[in-house]
Amino acid sequence: MKNINVTLRKRTLPSGTITLYLDFFSPIYNIKARKFSRREYLSLFLVSKPKSTIEKGFEFRELVQSRDHSWQQI
């Protein structure tokens, strides 16, 4: 079995929100798409400039959830 390096990355969308995805070095096989893939988007979005403490708390919760998801992928 090969070692797979997983990195949590973020990308800014044109709308200004930030999306999180996992970047795999040594592509993994995606069963649904039936092909190898290096990225998996997590469907988690962050506010680029949070205005209130509620938005900051929401952003922190999303980051923790993404970290937990990345550990499950390994």
Side-chain angles (χ1 to χ4, degrees):
M1 179 177 234
K2 294 195 289 185
N3 289 338
I4 299 174
N5 295 330
V6 180
T7 306
L8 178 64
R9 298 193 187 270
K10 58 184 176 179
R11 177 176 171 250
T12 305
L13 299 176
S15 63
T17 58
I18 299 170
T19 184
L20 299 174
Y21 66 94
L22 299 176
D23 186 17
F24 302 102
F25 180 70
S26 293
I28 60 168
Y29 187 72
N30 186 342
I31 297 171
K32 294 178 184 176
R34 296 183 181 166
K35 62 181 180 178
F36 285 94
S37 174
R38 288 205 49 198
R39 290 174 203 87
E40 179 179 341
Y41 283 89
L42 301 176
S43 299
L44 299 174
F45 301 96
L46 305 175
V47 179
S48 61
K49 296 180 183 177
K51 297 177 183 176
S52 67
T53 56
I54 295 173
E55 288 180 353
K56 289 178 184 177
F58 178 74
E59 185 170 308
F60 178 75
R61 193 171 70 231
E62 293 285 321
L63 286 172
V64 170
Q65 184 179 358
S66 66
R67 185 195 66 203
D68 293 342
H69 185 68
S70 67
W71 283 108
Q72 291 173 358
Q73 291 294 325
I74 296 176

